Amino acid sequence: QVQLVESGGGLVQAGDSLRLSCAASGRTLRGYPMGWFRRAPGKEREFVAHISGSGTTTYYADSVNGRFTISRDVAKNTVYLGMNSLKPEDTAVYYCAVQARIMAYNNPLAYDYWGQGTQVTVSS
């Protein structure tokens, strides 16, 4: 069983940057694809970013492509989401998860072991 803990969220102004962390315990994340999702108030959970098990391939939602960067540190058993040029529409609770099924990387059903989330609020 793996536990994921997200951190790094906060209240920032439009144009600012944040880096979210997703630290794992209980099992190594080595070799497991990982994803970041977010849920804004009153909206469905949506895909943000994905990184392959090797860390060599990444995918992003169109809305964040070019502004967000997903990365992983095997030694620290942690996955990161760097967020630049933040916009008010990026306001949401951000979650990381381990991809456990061979499904589309942007499908939340492909993932298990979700963290509790970290709140990101971007003011205009």
Side-chain angles (χ1 to χ4, degrees):
Q1 188 88 4
V2 61
Q3 292 81 41
L4 302 176
V5 178
E6 300 95 336
S7 62
L11 172 63
V12 298
Q13 294 186 331
D16 285 351
S17 300
L18 282 174
R19 189 177 77 157
L20 306 183
S21 299
C22 171
S25 61
R27 191 172 75 185
T28 179
L29 295 180
R30 183 190 296 271
Y32 286 91
M34 298 289 296
W36 283 95
F37 288 76
R38 66 187 181 186
R39 176 173 284 166
K43 295 187 177 181
E44 296 290 321
R45 180 172 47 186
E46 66 171 351
F47 167 77
V48 175
H50 175 275
I51 188 166
S52 64
S54 65
T56 57
T57 304
T58 57
Y59 298 101
Y60 298 93
D62 290 343
S63 59
V64 307
N65 195 26
R67 299 188 297 121
F68 289 13
T69 302
I70 188 171
S71 61
R72 63 194 307 162
D73 186 326
V74 174
K76 294 183 178 180
N77 215 25
T78 299
V79 176
Y80 302 98
L81 185 68
M83 304 186 296
N84 295 323
S85 302
L86 282 162
K87 305 175 181 180
E89 50 263 44
D90 294 319
T91 295
V93 178
Y94 284 72
Y95 302 89
C96 64
V98 182
Q99 185 175 3
R101 302 177 187 85
I102 302 176
M103 300 174 69
Y105 60 80
N106 58 350
N107 185 345
L109 296 178
Y111 295 80
D112 277 338
Y113 305 118
W114 296 80
Q116 84 292 344
T118 185
Q119 175 71 48
V120 173
T121 304
V122 184
S123 63
S124 57

